[in-house]
Every structure is written in structure tokens, then in C-alpha cells.
Amino acid sequence: MKILALLLLCSVTACSPKRPAESSREIRGTQAERVAAVSPLIGKHAPLPSPILDAHFVEEQTGDGQLGPSDFAAFYTLTVAPADLAAWRSALPTIEAQNTPPKYITPKQPRSWWLTHDDFLGLTFYSPKSLTGRSNGWVGIAPDGRIFMYAFTM
């Protein structure tokens, strides 16, 4: 009877779904170091419309890539001169249909540099594809020179 109970317990444990592994990477450092590290990430698909004054980035990974693909969610906050916003708007394509209406989302661990829901409501939205290479997500431009980007895989 004990052996049967032990076998039953082992089979239930083996069949229980495991949560996928989760990890994240964040670019930290001084303002100049963050700009230097983030600029190539968003400048590899198209030239940047203007210099970046400040930048923040975190990417969250769900899954370890071993037993299937991992999913990624990237959060960027850029600061540019307000006078350069027109160049950014004209360089960005319109947001894709699958991303409308844009949804407010935050990193799993709150970041002080990420936007609030109230800020989100005041953004003008564009596609992230030319900056991130990903079709899913959005780029939101605030009138004060901040640019927020959320891009993900699925």
C-alpha cells in the first residue's frame, strides 16, 4: 500500500505543470552609459531620428528556451529634446491593427522610469517595428519629450 501511494504521489508530481522560468535584464549605469547601451538596440533597424538624451531599458523573459521558445517583453523609456519629437513622429509607422487599442502594461517589477496609467492616456501611439524589430506592442510619444516603448513576442 505504501508503494502504491508513493507511485501515485510521484506520478502526480511529474504531471503537474511547471511554471516557465522567468528572468530579466536591465540596462543600468550613468545617463551616458544607458544612452550608449540602448541606442544600438533601437538603432539597428533604422537610423535614430535624433539624439537620445536619456534612456532606460528592461527586458523580461518567460521560458528558458530549452523545451520550447521563450517569450520576451521589452520596456524602453527614452528622453529626447521636445523640438525633436516631430522627427520621431514622422519616422515612425502607424500602429498595427493587432495592437489597437494599445493596452497599458507595466514591467513585473515596478520601475520608477516607467509611465503611469495617467501618462499612458496622453500618449500618441505608433508601431515599434522600425525601432525594435517587433510588430507587437507600441511606441507612445508624450508631448514633453519622453518616448515609451513596449514590444513583445508571443
Side-chain angles (χ1 to χ4, degrees):
M1 188 65 148
K2 289 182 181 179
I3 293 175
L4 183 59
L6 182 60
L7 287 173
L8 181 62
L9 178 63
C10 289
S11 67
V12 168
T13 303
C15 295
S16 297
K18 289 185 177 179
R19 292 186 49 148
E22 293 183 358
S23 62
S24 68
R25 72 178 179 109
E26 182 172 6
I27 292 177
R28 297 178 186 208
T30 66
Q31 181 177 340
E33 291 168 338
R34 291 190 313 267
V35 169
V38 171
S39 294
L41 293 177
I42 59 174
K44 67 181 169 184
H45 301 285
L48 297 178
S50 76
I52 297 172
L53 304 176
D54 197 0
H56 295 276
F57 170 83
V58 67
E59 183 173 62
E60 300 170 343
Q61 177 180 351
T62 303
D64 60 9
Q66 299 297 314
L67 295 174
S70 295
D71 290 322
F72 295 88
F75 301 84
Y76 305 76
T77 297
L78 310 176
T79 303
V80 301
D84 292 336
L85 288 178
W88 284 82
R89 285 187 189 100
S90 65
L92 293 170
T94 59
I95 193 166
E96 290 92 347
Q98 79 266 16
N99 297 314
T100 57
K103 293 177 180 59
Y104 177 68
I105 189 158
T106 63
K108 289 179 183 170
Q109 283 205 311
R111 301 296 200 274
S112 61
W113 48 262
W114 190 244
L115 76 162
T116 66
H117 188 266
D118 287 344
D119 286 337
F120 175 80
L121 297 175
L123 299 179
T124 305
F125 293 97
Y126 301 88
S127 168
K129 186 151 179 82
S130 64
L131 296 176
T132 67
R134 296 178 180 164
S135 297
N136 296 312
W138 45 260
V139 174
I141 297 182
D144 64 1
R146 292 178 300 154
I147 299 172
F148 300 95
M149 293 187 287
Y150 165 62
F152 63 97
T153 63
M154 33 186 255

